[in-house]
Amino acid sequence: MRTLLAWLGTLLLANLAHANPVALDGTEQWTMHSAEGREYRIMVSLPEGDVPWTGGYPVIYLLDGNAYFPALHAAKRAQDRLRGSILVAIGYPSDTPLDFERRAFDLSPPQPAERNTPPQGGQDLFLDFIEKRLMPQVNARFKVDQDQRSLVGHSFGGMFGVYALFTRPQLFQHVVAISPSLWWRDRYLMEPERAFTQKAHAGKLDLTHSSLTLLIGDREMPQEIQDARALQMRLQALSQYGLRSDFQVEPGEDHMSIPFRVSARVLDELISTRRF
């Protein structure tokens, strides 16, 4: 009897080892490659219901999809008003929630050679992938409201979202930066911020329907909270050109817990935003 139980236990473990991964209802997954051959795992939370009166579904692009897609997908499907949207998460062919080497390259500015380990500096190539490869694929697959494109990123991803706003403001109408690493490389974002601000004052940018939301936990480093608050205060001057900026502190949350705490609020804010 003991031998039989041991054999059955071994058989059960073997079957579990070869079990298929859990599939989330209402989703699909693609594999895509950048122009340079880097592979990406694209996870899509499908829209539900009729196409909105605007003629297309709002679309939200999410960075670090391996880590954050399940939580945002669940939050989207839990409320009827959020289901009529598309969530496109960009991840990597990895079994880990955060692929530190890949995201270090995709989400960061160039580094001096002596500090370039792991390799960094691919943020413009990554933006090219999103703009020239991923977005056309999403547009071909779904009816998309081109006036309701948003980007959500956490930590390095939040830093990348701010960079995207400053350097390609036409790409996303709304950016949510959760705990953005504004301190990275001696606050390198200050330079593109100055260029962005100068273009706005010169009338060279259309910011009428643009927004940036900065979210941070109150248990994060005081300097990180201060940096995010200071950025939002500086950007308030651009409200005269239409840019809406917001700064929110989440009580009781730290750097790694806050993305999961604010999932439903982020989706609700982005999907409820109206252009007209």
Side-chain angles (χ1 to χ4, degrees):
M1 183 66 176
R2 188 174 301 170
T3 302
L4 177 60
L5 290 174
W7 178 81
L8 288 173
T10 302
L11 180 62
L12 176 61
L13 290 174
N15 287 335
L16 289 175
H18 292 89
N20 293 323
V22 174
L24 298 175
D25 292 340
T27 68
E28 62 185 40
Q29 181 172 299
W30 314 332
T31 295
M32 295 188 67
H33 293 83
S34 68
E36 300 76 28
R38 283 183 290 276
E39 183 176 334
Y40 293 94
R41 179 185 177 195
I42 308 301
M43 295 154 277
V44 182
S45 179
L46 301 170
E48 301 179 41
D50 296 333
V51 177
W53 62 271
T54 57
Y57 297 102
V59 58
I60 299 167
Y61 291 89
L62 173 66
L63 304 175
D64 289 318
N66 297 51
Y68 305 126
F69 177 70
L72 267 76
H73 169 67
K76 183 175 89 74
R77 298 200 82 209
Q79 302 183 62
D80 288 341
R81 70 180 183 277
L82 304 181
R83 291 188 173 192
S85 60
I86 309 165
L87 176 63
V88 180
I90 309 170
Y92 302 105
S94 170
D95 293 332
T96 61
L98 295 170
D99 189 324
F100 290 102
E101 289 195 7
R102 287 292 306 273
R103 72 192 299 268
F105 181 79
D106 282 342
L107 305 177
S108 67
Q111 287 274 42
E114 65 274 12
R115 297 169 59 185
N116 198 33
T117 303
Q120 298 166 56
Q123 56 188 10
D124 288 312
L125 294 175
F126 189 40
L127 278 171
D128 285 342
F129 166 75
I130 295 173
E131 180 176 9
K132 300 175 183 179
R133 296 203 170 213
L134 179 56
M135 283 186 168
Q137 183 71 16
V138 172
N139 293 340
R141 176 72 176 81
F142 306 103
K143 291 185 177 180
V144 173
D145 184 350
Q146 301 300 333
D147 294 324
Q148 283 286 81
R149 298 192 306 267
S150 305
L151 178 67
V152 179
H154 169 247
S155 192
F156 258 36
M159 176 182 76
F160 177 86
V162 175
Y163 178 79
L165 171 66
F166 290 161
T167 60
R168 305 192 195 191
Q170 80 290 344
L171 204 54
F172 304 100
Q173 284 79 31
H174 313 294
V175 172
V176 176
I178 305 171
S179 302
S181 302
L182 302 177
W183 50 270
W184 187 252
R185 200 178 167 198
D186 299 326
R187 295 179 173 83
Y188 85 96
L189 283 171
M190 294 293 290
E191 182 175 346
E193 179 189 342
R194 283 191 288 269
F196 174 78
T197 301
Q198 290 170 2
K199 288 181 180 179
H201 287 308
K204 297 180 180 180
L205 296 177
D206 181 7
L207 301 176
T208 308
H209 303 287
S210 299
S211 71
L212 171 66
T213 298
L214 298 160
L215 295 171
I216 197 162
D218 71 347
R219 296 175 60 189
E220 302 199 45
M221 295 294 292
Q223 187 62 56
E224 295 174 350
I225 299 174
Q226 182 181 351
D227 285 347
R229 180 184 289 113
L231 172 60
Q232 192 270 331
M233 291 179 65
R234 293 194 301 273
L235 293 179
Q236 281 182 338
L238 301 186
S239 63
Q240 61 184 309
Y241 309 118
L243 178 67
R244 301 190 310 275
S245 58
D246 188 23
F247 169 77
Q248 302 175 27
V249 176
E250 188 68 24
E253 303 303 324
D254 59 28
H255 191 75
M256 295 309 297
S257 67
I258 186 172
F260 303 100
R261 177 66 178 268
V262 301
S263 296
R265 186 198 312 169
V266 166
L267 292 174
D268 192 41
E269 178 177 328
L270 294 175
I271 292 172
S272 63
T273 300
R274 291 289 180 263
R275 181 179 176 91
F276 300 105

